Amino acid sequence: MTLTIILILSFLVALNFVLLKFSCNKSSKKVESKEPETMITEKSEPTLVTNQLPVNPLAPTGS
């Protein structure tokens, strides 16, 4: 009985490692371009980020 449990568990562990080997995300090597990419941005006014509460707070739900 214990031998069958050990055999089943070892088979499941081995199967898990085989599936893990084939499911790894392998990233391909990027081919570097000779020309660097440039971004053209429009000149606009900077955005002001504040940590203030909103003007109209949410209404209470009563729950």
Side-chain angles (χ1 to χ4, degrees), residues 4-63:
T4 57
I5 292 173
I6 292 173
L7 287 175
I8 290 172
L9 287 177
S10 62
F11 172 74
L12 290 175
V13 168
L15 180 65
N16 189 20
F17 280 117
V18 169
L19 291 175
L20 182 66
K21 175 70 176 168
F22 289 115
S23 69
C24 287
N25 293 331
K26 295 179 181 176
S27 60
S28 60
K29 292 183 179 179
K30 293 183 179 179
V31 177
E32 294 183 16
S33 62
K34 294 179 182 178
E35 299 175 12
E37 295 181 14
T38 57
M39 291 180 54
I40 300 173
T41 58
E42 295 180 18
K43 299 209 176 201
S44 61
E45 296 190 19
T47 350
L48 180 62
V49 179
T50 62
N51 291 334
Q52 296 176 351
L53 293 174
V55 177
N56 298 327
L58 297 174
T61 59
S63 56

